[in-house]
Amino acid sequence: MDRKYFYLFVLMLLLIGGQSKAADVEFKAIAPEAVVMGEQFRLVFSINTEGGREFRSPDLSDFDVLIGPSPSTSTSIQYFNGQATKIYSQSYTYILVPKKEGTFNLAPASITLNNSSYSSNPLIIRVLPPDQTPNPATQQGNTNNQGSSSAINNDEIFCQILIPVRSVFEQEGLLVTFKLYSTVEAVPTNYAFPDFDGFLVRDIELNPQWVPEHYNGRNYRTAIIKQAILYPQRSGRITISSGKIEMTVRQRIQRQARSIFDDFFDSYQDVKKEVVTQSVPIDVKPLPPGKPASFNGAVGNYSMKTSINSTKVKANEAITITVALTGNGNIRLLKNPAVVFPNDFDAFDPKTEDNIRTTAQGTSGTKTFEFMAIPRYAGDFEIPAIHFSYFDPKEGVYKSLSSESFKILVEKGIGGEGTPPVVSNFSNQESIKYLGQDIRYIMVETKPRFILNHEMFFGSFTYIIAYLIITVLFIAFFMIYRKQVIENANIALVRTKKANKTAVRRLKNADKLLKESNKEAFYEEVLRAVWGYLSDKLSISQAQLTKDNVAAELSKYGVGEELSDEFIDILNTCEFARYAPGQGSEAMDSLFKQTVNAIGKMENTIKRNN
């Protein structure tokens, strides 16, 4: 080798060694999840750092060791963003044959590196029995050049809907699994899963992989192609409709041998196969009677944690109460628990944060509510305990959680305790006056001139008229101001009058989200607008307002059953459509118009009855 190229090679190795990142030591075991009795399989232990020694394998007495352990090493270089990374692998390979059927647990292997011992991951290997029935795919001799799906029977490839239970409570999570079985080489090309009408659907993220499984006397390749948690939205019998999966099957064509070489070379063709899943009925039980007052539809198992940022503040300084609900169930649908602030506090709508994920064990996580309020006066105040109730479907009972009450000391703020909480158009900021306008010069004359006025204004007709006008205006202003103060003191009346304006403002935001095609945020905003409007109009807190008592409360205001049902229909549509697939822009536009019309009818009905 030329010395120049030798130096260049050494320099490259130095650069690679200097720029490569030191990877963490990883010692892992790799083997198939399932094997068939009598078939060989490969077991590999590998470490990603050189220098490993004193390798010790686990107990392999349940298997016949044909080959192994066979050591081997490999080195490669990867370039990324101009940097070179050296990848090293040292492995020990076994070729094994199982001695018997069953499930076997392999303990971790161990290896020593730099005077430290490292252990691999344990493994579970299932040994399946051999096929008890012949595989038609290996016996059929299709001599035709044209393949069709009729040549592939339903025993060779099919899909099952696996549901652990068929009877649940309303809003109780139900795991549904679509599992594909195949004895032939097939690839799914198109899915048409059921609509899950009557359920709220939360999909589970999957990475489908083929896994061997023994079923009904035969060995299949199986793959879970879809998993979801279903939350029934109504009681009664709900049927999960059938679905369809289009498969492309790689089918072997055996031709009539015309020469000696035709026996060694076969042809293949792709055949379409449609797999249909069966429909499954689900019995949904209604929630039992005896719901606690603080129950707002939560089903599952929950815990509650509350906190406050400070119990000693000054007037006009904000306090924040945090309520964190953690558990497993329909946690995404939880409404905010009721937090009752004193009358001298200005309360705001709560801020909500979610940390939720959906797995095969259900939807779990934490939903956090932050309630902010501003005290306007100094004094000692107490915020009552916060209550939250849920239905436990496993035990079939309602459970209640309560926090401690919060005692708050409010001190006087800067400039006093603040102004009374009345609605006015006056600003409490002092007007700025200019010095040049405050001081005027005095005109000085040597001989002042006086003009004698023979007319007397006091007691004149003009004086009496002006006095009467001022008196009437004062009385009118006093009556209007007194009425305004009385109305502002009645917080419920103020909320009722502003209900329509608040709803219109939220619906404007919903209209903006509709134009942006932001489906989930749109339904959330419409839901908030309707619940907020009904709460303000009926003077009932949202925590105490449910779909069960909306109709009864509306009837007190002379609202008919048809309009009440329309509001209930809007609420049901929003709660279902936020997570349901396939809701287009036309459905969103129709719901928006329906909501605007319902609120307009409500306003006209209440004005007419009053």
Side-chain angles (χ1 to χ4, degrees):
M1 178 184 292
D2 192 352
R3 181 174 297 179
K4 179 177 65 175
Y5 292 106
F6 174 79
Y7 289 149
L8 183 62
F9 178 76
V10 173
L11 179 61
M12 182 179 293
L13 290 179
L14 292 175
L15 290 175
I16 292 173
Q19 293 181 359
S20 61
K21 299 181 181 178
D24 295 333
V25 177
E26 184 180 11
F27 183 42
K28 59 183 179 179
I30 304 173
E33 294 183 16
V35 296
V36 178
M37 180 63 188
E39 294 183 0
Q40 301 177 9
F41 69 96
R42 187 185 301 267
L43 172 63
V44 180
F45 298 92
S46 65
I47 188 169
N48 63 344
T49 304
E50 55 186 329
R53 54 188 177 85
E54 297 181 5
F55 168 75
R56 294 183 179 180
S57 67
D59 180 20
L60 301 176
S61 59
D62 293 321
F63 304 89
D64 288 328
V65 180
L66 302 183
I67 301 176
S70 301
S72 63
T73 59
S74 64
T75 305
S76 62
I77 298 174
Q78 289 185 352
Y79 291 90
F80 182 74
N81 292 336
Q83 292 188 347
T85 303
K86 180 181 178 181
I87 300 177
Y88 178 86
S89 176
Q90 179 180 352
S91 61
Y92 301 86
T93 304
Y94 290 87
I95 302 298
L96 307 177
V97 175
K99 294 181 179 179
K100 55 184 177 180
E101 304 170 4
T103 300
F104 302 94
N105 297 316
L106 293 186
S110 64
I111 196 171
T112 301
L113 178 66
N114 297 330
N115 297 325
S116 298
S117 180
Y118 294 88
S119 298
S120 68
N121 53 292
L123 290 174
I124 299 178
I125 300 177
R126 293 182 295 111
V127 179
L128 308 178
D131 281 338
Q132 298 176 5
T133 57
N135 189 344
T138 61
Q139 289 190 350
Q140 65 181 3
N142 186 3
T143 60
N144 298 326
N145 293 336
Q146 302 295 328
S148 64
S149 60
S150 60
I152 305 170
N153 59 51
N154 293 332
D155 291 335
E156 294 179 76
I157 182 168
F158 59 92
C159 183
Q160 283 191 335
I161 300 181
L162 305 178
I163 301 177
V165 293
R166 302 292 178 92
S167 178
V168 293
F169 284 99
E170 185 178 352
Q171 292 294 342
E172 180 184 358
L174 177 68
L175 175 65
V176 57
T177 302
F178 290 80
K179 193 171 187 180
L180 198 62
Y181 293 76
S182 176
T183 60
V184 295
E185 185 180 349
V187 177
T189 56
N190 190 24
Y191 301 98
F193 293 111
D195 294 333
F196 301 111
D197 186 24
F199 296 92
L200 187 148
V201 184
R202 299 301 303 170
D203 287 325
I204 299 173
E205 294 185 3
L206 295 175
N207 183 21
Q209 294 181 350
W210 291 105
V211 177
E213 182 175 327
H214 193 80
Y215 178 77
N216 282 350
R218 295 182 64 178
N219 290 318
Y220 290 88
R221 294 192 311 146
T222 65
I224 296 177
I225 57 177
K226 182 180 178 64
Q227 269 190 326
I229 303 294
L230 308 182
Y231 294 95
Q233 300 298 296
R234 53 182 172 84
S235 58
R237 170 161 287 200
I238 305 178
T239 300
I240 300 176
S241 59
S242 60
K244 295 181 181 179
I245 301 136
E246 293 182 2
M247 306 288 296
T248 299
V249 181
R250 186 78 166 171
Q251 192 176 49
R252 180 180 178 181
I253 303 176
Q254 295 180 347
R255 302 178 182 272
Q256 184 176 1
R258 293 190 296 268
S259 67
I260 189 173
F261 298 102
D262 289 340
D263 293 335
F264 297 96
F265 299 99
D266 290 328
S267 299
Y268 293 88
Q269 66 177 355
D270 291 337
V271 178
K272 298 295 183 181
K273 172 69 175 179
E274 185 178 79
V275 178
V276 180
T277 64
Q278 73 275 22
S279 60
V280 180
I282 303 296
D283 291 326
V284 182
K285 298 174 289 186
L287 298 181
K291 300 176 183 178
S294 57
F295 179 76
N296 58 9
V299 176
N301 192 6
Y302 299 95
S303 62
M304 181 176 67
K305 183 179 180 181
T306 60
S307 62
I308 188 170
N309 63 334
S310 178
T311 57
K312 185 178 180 181
V313 295
K314 294 182 179 180
N316 299 320
E317 289 183 354
I319 64 170
T320 301
I321 293 179
T322 302
V323 180
L325 298 175
T326 303
N328 187 304
N330 60 343
I331 189 170
R332 290 187 180 275
L333 300 181
L334 295 186
K335 298 179 183 178
N336 55 286
V339 179
V340 182
F341 290 98
N343 293 330
D344 293 329
F345 284 49
D346 287 344
F348 301 88
D349 290 338
K351 177 184 176 182
T352 305
E353 291 184 359
D354 295 340
N355 183 14
I356 302 171
R357 64 192 186 99
T358 302
T359 64
Q361 286 70 42
T363 301
S364 60
T366 300
K367 193 167 188 177
T368 305
F369 303 90
E370 290 186 357
F371 299 84
M372 189 179 72
I374 300 177
R376 297 305 186 187
Y377 296 97
D380 293 325
F381 300 92
E382 182 177 357
I383 298 176
I386 302 171
H387 302 282
F388 173 77
S389 298
Y390 64 94
F391 178 75
D392 189 340
K394 292 184 179 179
E395 299 183 12
V397 295
Y398 293 96
K399 295 182 179 180
S400 297
L401 304 174
S402 298
S403 69
E404 297 181 354
S405 59
F406 298 100
K407 294 183 179 180
I408 302 174
L409 174 61
V410 181
E411 299 176 342
K412 291 185 178 180
I414 300 176
E417 298 177 357
T419 57
V422 297
V423 179
S424 64
N425 295 323
F426 300 99
S427 173
N428 58 3
Q429 297 180 350
E430 184 180 357
S431 301
I432 300 176
K433 298 181 180 179
Y434 296 97
L435 183 63
Q437 296 178 355
D438 291 343
I439 302 176
R440 300 297 184 186
Y441 292 100
I442 301 175
M443 182 180 294
V444 180
E445 295 184 359
T446 55
K447 294 181 179 181
R449 293 180 298 172
F450 300 95
I451 300 175
L452 181 62
N453 188 359
H454 297 283
E455 297 181 359
M456 296 292 295
F457 177 73
F458 182 77
S460 63
F461 178 77
T462 305
Y463 171 80
I464 296 174
I465 295 298
Y467 181 80
L468 292 175
I469 292 175
I470 293 175
T471 303
V472 171
L473 290 176
F474 176 78
I475 295 173
F477 175 78
F478 176 77
M479 296 298 294
I480 294 173
Y481 180 77
R482 183 172 179 273
K483 180 180 179 182
Q484 185 179 12
V485 171
I486 294 174
E487 290 181 351
N488 289 335
N490 188 347
I491 299 177
L493 182 61
V494 173
R495 288 180 58 192
T496 300
K497 286 189 174 183
K498 291 186 176 181
N500 188 38
K501 294 183 179 179
T502 304
V504 170
R505 184 175 67 252
R506 288 176 174 169
L507 287 176
K508 287 183 179 179
N509 294 335
D511 187 33
K512 182 179 178 181
L513 296 170
L514 172 63
K515 295 177 181 178
E516 296 174 355
S517 298
N518 191 341
K519 186 190 77 170
E520 186 170 348
F522 167 77
Y523 286 111
E524 180 73 25
E525 192 67 21
V526 173
L527 194 64
R528 290 183 57 195
V530 175
W531 276 121
Y533 174 78
L534 293 175
S535 175
D536 293 340
K537 207 68 179 176
L538 302 178
S539 300
I540 300 176
S541 65
Q542 291 191 28
Q544 298 176 350
L545 192 64
T546 64
K547 289 186 288 187
D548 296 335
N549 61 7
V550 162
E553 295 296 335
L554 288 175
S555 64
K556 297 178 182 179
Y557 287 80
V559 178
E561 183 178 355
E562 181 179 355
L563 184 55
S564 300
D565 293 340
E566 192 169 352
F567 275 106
I568 297 299
D569 181 61
I570 294 172
L571 295 173
N572 290 334
T573 302
C574 289
E575 291 180 353
F576 176 73
R578 281 188 301 171
Y579 307 106
Q583 298 293 329
S585 58
E586 295 182 359
M588 295 166 62
D589 185 63
S590 175
L591 178 68
F592 181 79
K593 294 179 180 179
Q594 182 184 5
T595 305
V596 173
N597 293 334
I599 293 178
K601 292 178 184 178
M602 178 77 170
E603 289 293 317
N604 295 332
T605 301
I606 293 180
K607 287 180 181 179
R608 184 169 59 252
N609 294 334
N610 291 337

